[in-house]
Amino acid sequence: MAETYTLPVGPLHVALEEPMYFDIKVEGETVRGLDLTAGHVHRGMEALAMHRNYFQNVTLTERVCSLCSNSHPATYCMAVETLAGITVPERGQYLRVIADEIKRVASHLFNVGIMAHLVGFDSLFMHAMEVRELMQDAKEGVYGNRMNLGQCTIGGTRTDIDKETARFLRGQIEALKPQLHELYGVFEKDPLIRTRTRGIGVLPEAEARRYAVVGPVARASGVAYDVRRKAPYATYEDLTFEVQSDTAGDVHSRAMLRLREAVESVSIIEQCLKQMPEGPVKIEGMAAVPAGESVARSEAPRGELVYFLRSDGSDTPQRVKWRVPTYMNWEALQVMMAGCQVADIPLIVNSIDPCISCTER
Amino acid sequence: MLPFLKIMVKNLLKGPSTDPFPFAPAKTPKRFRGCASHDESKCILCGICKHVCAAGAIQMRAAEDGSGVEYVLWHNSCVFCGMCAHYCPTGAVTMTDNWHLSHLAEEKYTFCETSFVAFGECSQCGARIQPRPQVIVDQLGTRSPDRFLLCPKCKRESQVKHATDKNLIQLREQQ
């Protein structure tokens, strides 16, 4: 048997330039096993959440992660609203869905863009980011910030989409659609992308179920699990969309699935803009939170996000605990990386769209 | 490579898509959440902005002589979430579209917006009450403008007086 040795990868610049440390056992160029070491960006956010009142925590949870920065406060607000018995007005629910889907498009485009960058196809990376810029401009124009939308608040949403803003948002979407289509074609057909990503980092369905992976990683391996469909929240029940799934379970299929999901999200935003009823976007006043416990979950761009909240009746939560999608996905790297080449490590890590700042918080 | 070549040529002909800042102003959307701003003429010192501020960027220090409150908004602590502006009942705190926040390191401890909000005076007994700026009187105190400017004690007395006067009139009418 050939000699194996340990190759340290990280903590910086594995794929997303977020700190994650891998001890990779290699035999020549082939990966034989790996150890994950996390904890480089632990910020103690759950403890911070216990020292801030319910309203301050909306802002705090928004800053857990930049790419799913709407999913976190939205799910946190859902947990608080369940506990306080608040019903969010229908228009507010629709506005939350719009914010969530805009973030999803931007997040997925970012991930496939980074994949092109890791393949070495930097001009495609630049182009994907340029396409994503349409959504970034939409966020800035509608919500006032390119990453932290500040849309959710306890009992509804903070900004309304009036006629003028809706027209602007529709314009951005119309400009995005053909570009997204074109981008899909490039990622699907380009020989460079195909050679580097097809058949790499395969996660078979049985393993996907065993590791209980979530989000696009699960769906690309044939587990069509989507919280938006399995346990509809907000107004997802009234919206038509298809849960994307694939059976290949490799790096390429995960990227393609993300692009297809982005297309679905665009159609969801369009439906929302069309169906949204008139009316208030939030409840009147500031509600008090009684003692008790509640759980809320939603589909973040990376998969299922769960929030647990316990209140003792004061204005500060006794405990807020969240489980992020990446936590479920990164153990599955053991399967995906087994037998891969050293050069494919960043590609595989990126294909689970890891969010280290979410996971370590 | 071929499917991408078309896009590349198209992008090449399109020219740069970045703003030529600082040689020309960068475009800023109307709804942009930039530097927060406090208008002391509308402030009623309710403190909700401080309550919802996750960053602790807002300080309210009582003046030593008890004449009012010094309101300090630290731009360097602010995270631009806009919760203060959202929950401010009178629109005293707003998010401007100003994102030009670079400053010298020596200005670090002075880079804030400080304003003094004086307490109001009860129009009857002169006791200290929350500020009653004219804009707020016009907005909230239109139902009984006289009573809006009273301290809680005088307000209670005036209400009792009002009620007894009404009762007396009713009694007289009955007699």
Side-chain angles (χ1 to χ4, degrees):
Chain A
M1 196 185 146
E3 202 182 334
T4 63
Y5 62 98
T6 309
L7 179 76
V9 176
L12 285 173
H13 208 308
V14 181
L16 286 175
E17 295 167 27
E18 276 188 293
M20 181 74 189
Y21 182 78
F22 299 89
D23 260 338
I24 294 176
K25 290 191 185 56
V26 288
E27 188 186 311
E29 276 282 308
T30 316
V31 175
R32 290 290 175 228
L34 82 153
D35 272 334
L36 291 105
T37 311
H40 298 90
V41 277
H42 181 72
R43 290 162 290 167
M45 288 198 113
E46 286 184 5
L48 288 176
M50 288 149 67
H51 293 284
R52 278 167 174 71
N53 62 43
Y54 287 102
F55 295 93
Q56 290 174 318
N57 277 333
V58 176
T59 306
L60 181 76
T61 49
E62 184 154 45
R63 275 141 187 88
V64 169
C65 154
S66 60
L67 285 167
C68 13
S69 71
N70 190 64
S71 301
H72 281 280
T75 321
Y76 163 74
C77 287
M78 270 156 63
V80 175
E81 283 150 9
T82 315
L83 192 54
I86 301 168
T87 317
V88 176
E90 211 183 337
R91 191 179 175 85
Q93 302 271 27
Y94 272 105
L95 289 170
R96 280 189 182 180
V97 173
I98 293 176
D100 240 11
E101 297 304 325
I102 291 180
K103 287 292 293 188
R104 195 184 312 275
V105 176
S107 174
H108 283 350
L109 282 174
F110 181 77
N111 180 261
V112 294
I114 295 287
M115 188 187 89
H117 168 64
L118 292 169
V119 165
F121 199 162
D122 267 342
S123 41
L124 179 58
F125 158 65
M126 293 290 183
H127 183 67
M129 294 306 255
E130 173 71 17
V131 175
R132 174 178 180 258
E133 203 59 25
L134 284 166
M135 281 293 103
Q136 296 297 92
D137 284 346
K139 286 190 250 176
E140 201 176 25
V142 177
Y143 306 105
N145 195 301
R146 285 163 58 87
M147 289 316 276
N148 297 321
L149 306 186
Q151 173 67 327
C152 290
T153 188
I154 296 166
T157 57
R158 274 160 53 185
T159 42
D160 196 0
I161 295 183
D162 53 23
K163 282 215 173 71
E164 196 192 329
T165 324
R167 204 179 308 125
F168 163 71
L169 186 55
R170 270 202 200 95
Q172 293 295 103
I173 285 172
E174 284 309 317
L176 177 76
K177 275 198 284 189
Q179 300 219 37
L180 203 56
H181 183 74
E182 197 177 43
L183 200 64
Y184 187 86
V186 174
F187 272 94
E188 195 184 21
K189 296 199 194 84
D190 192 87
L192 197 64
I193 298 278
R194 283 174 76 97
T195 341
R196 277 305 301 278
T197 58
R198 276 167 69 90
I200 304 284
V202 179
L203 184 72
E205 191 186 336
E207 292 290 338
R209 286 188 190 279
R210 196 164 78 84
Y211 280 98
V213 293
V214 290
V217 181
R219 291 194 282 274
S221 294
V223 186
Y225 181 82
D226 191 320
V227 183
R228 290 177 293 172
R229 180 54 52 79
K230 294 277 175 192
Y233 53 97
T235 56
Y236 283 110
E237 217 158 13
D238 307 329
L239 298 164
T240 346
F241 66 97
E242 211 175 296
V243 176
Q244 299 297 325
S245 74
D246 201 348
T247 47
D250 58 2
V251 173
H252 189 250
S253 72
R254 287 195 271 277
M256 299 317 288
L257 185 120
R258 286 199 178 94
L259 282 170
R260 286 202 298 278
E261 276 191 12
V263 175
E264 286 292 323
S265 294
V266 167
S267 115
I268 292 176
I269 300 168
E270 280 180 324
Q271 290 174 46
C272 285
L273 286 174
K274 211 195 273 170
Q275 292 178 16
M276 202 158 57
E278 289 296 319
V281 297
K282 61 172 180 8
I283 54 156
E284 286 293 319
M286 297 166 92
V289 184
E293 286 180 357
S294 70
V295 170
R297 58 188 185 138
S298 71
E299 183 75 19
R302 286 158 186 74
E304 185 185 34
L305 175 68
V306 186
Y307 262 76
F308 166 79
L309 173 78
R310 184 192 286 149
S311 161
D312 56 1
S314 66
D315 70 347
T316 308
Q318 198 178 27
R319 181 83 171 98
V320 189
K321 159 94 190 146
W322 53 99
R323 197 206 70 192
V324 301
T326 306
Y327 183 71
M328 302 310 292
N329 289 345
W330 69 13
E331 271 305 313
L333 283 175
Q334 307 268 10
V335 177
M336 295 181 210
M337 279 198 196
C340 82
Q341 298 296 294
V342 169
D344 295 332
I345 294 170
L347 267 174
I348 297 173
V349 172
N350 180 66
S351 79
I352 68 162
D353 205 356
C355 183
I356 315 295
S357 59
C358 274
T359 318
E360 297 179 355
R361 50 190 181 271
Chain B
M1 241 7 211
L2 273 173
F4 188 69
L5 271 179
K6 220 172 82 190
I7 297 174
M8 213 162 80
V9 172
K10 214 160 59 186
N11 281 352
L12 212 62
L13 294 176
K14 216 165 64 181
S17 61
T18 44
D19 283 341
F21 187 77
F23 305 108
K27 55 174 186 288
T28 309
K30 215 168 54 192
R31 290 187 170 199
F32 188 79
R33 282 203 315 271
C35 178
S37 161
H38 177 244
D39 179 359
E40 69 265 33
S41 71
K42 287 184 185 168
C43 185
I44 54 166
L45 294 178
C46 67
I48 194 71
C49 48
K50 194 179 163 216
H51 181 75
V52 297
C53 179
I58 295 169
Q59 282 178 333
M60 291 167 89
R61 308 173 182 147
E64 269 173 30
D65 58 354
S67 61
V69 168
E70 193 189 17
Y71 187 100
V72 193
L73 210 160
W74 292 91
H75 297 316
N76 278 342
S77 303
C78 178
V79 293
F80 311 101
C81 65
M83 286 288 265
C84 49
H86 178 72
Y87 281 108
C88 179
T90 62
V93 187
T94 45
M95 301 303 279
T96 63
D97 62 0
N98 173 23
W99 47 270
H100 300 277
L101 291 157
S102 54
H103 57 91
L104 294 173
E106 62 205 36
E107 292 161 18
K108 163 159 91 167
Y109 298 113
T110 49
F111 194 58
C112 57
E113 202 176 293
T114 313
S115 37
F116 185 77
V117 186
F119 284 123
E121 256 180 29
C122 171
S123 61
Q124 204 165 312
C125 70
R128 204 180 75 181
I129 56 168
Q130 275 191 324
R132 289 284 181 266
Q134 195 53 47
V135 268
I136 303 309
V137 177
D138 296 343
Q139 195 184 324
L140 299 172
T142 45
R143 216 172 54 161
S144 55
D146 299 338
R147 210 177 286 156
F148 193 70
L149 300 171
L150 297 178
C151 69
K153 190 166 153 270
C154 293
K155 204 181 282 175
R156 259 196 309 275
E157 279 166 7
S158 108
Q159 265 164 339
V160 169
K161 193 166 167 290
H162 180 71
T164 28
D165 284 356
K166 224 161 130 188
N167 280 350
L168 277 177
I169 293 164
Q170 273 176 356
L171 276 173
R172 243 172 247 151
E173 275 170 1
Q174 279 167 15
Q175 280 166 3

